[in-house]
Amino acid sequence: MSLSDIVQRGWEAVGSGNFDALVSDYVDDMKFIMPGQTNVLSGRSSFRAALDGLGELLPPGFEINGLRHIEGNSEVVSIVEWKSEKIDASQLAVLFKFDGEKIHEERWFIDTEQWNNAF
């Protein structure tokens, strides 16, 4: 299985609300760096707990319209096309860094001003 396949499987798990399946592809001491790059969750259990409140972390009406992956050496970048009630169309990027076939870091890159205005 390619690293891109693992990332795609994760996006599908998020879409179906199967967060336990999602976190199974992460190492125990993983890091999740949120939009703005200043908030960091450390550890798979903290990440899993945060996923229960995912609906509150996303702008109202958040919807993914397109998704593509760029795979490099031990990393994958997802380009996410999205919209919400207040934003007609935008993109963000998510970097996934791997140790073998497990994700050890997920880092979101987004226009934080636009993201904040989407709420």
Side-chain angles (χ1 to χ4, degrees), residues 51-114:
L51 290 169
D52 288 332
L54 184 62
E56 298 169 14
L57 300 174
L58 298 173
F62 182 83
E63 182 180 323
I64 294 175
N65 297 322
L67 184 63
R68 63 187 184 277
H69 309 296
I70 303 164
E71 187 169 333
N73 187 20
S74 298
E75 64 187 20
V76 173
V77 174
S78 290
I79 307 298
V80 182
E81 297 178 21
W82 64 277
K83 68 178 185 174
S84 69
E85 289 177 4
K86 294 182 179 179
I87 305 293
D88 292 332
S90 192
Q91 300 82 34
L92 61 89
V94 183
L95 171 64
F96 299 88
K97 293 184 177 184
F98 284 80
D99 283 332
E101 291 189 344
K102 297 285 187 179
I103 299 166
H104 74 86
E105 182 178 305
E106 178 177 338
R107 182 182 297 260
W108 284 52
F109 297 90
I110 190 165
D111 179 338
T112 53
E113 184 173 336
Q114 181 188 52

Side-chain angles (χ1 to χ4, degrees), residues 9-80:
R9 179 173 63 198
W11 285 111
E12 291 168 4
V14 169
S16 68
N18 190 350
F19 301 135
D20 291 333
L22 171 68
V23 299
S24 70
D25 284 324
Y26 289 76
V27 299
D28 286 337
D29 61 346
M30 57 83 63
K31 291 196 184 310
F32 178 80
I33 298 96
M34 293 177 262
Q37 309 301 299
T38 56
N39 295 320
V40 177
L41 285 174
S42 295
R44 187 168 61 185
S45 61
S46 295
F47 179 54
R48 174 61 185 90
L51 290 169
D52 288 332
L54 184 62
E56 298 169 14
L57 300 174
L58 298 173
F62 182 83
E63 182 180 323
I64 294 175
N65 297 322
L67 184 63
R68 63 187 184 277
H69 309 296
I70 303 164
E71 187 169 333
N73 187 20
S74 298
E75 64 187 20
V76 173
V77 174
S78 290
I79 307 298
V80 182

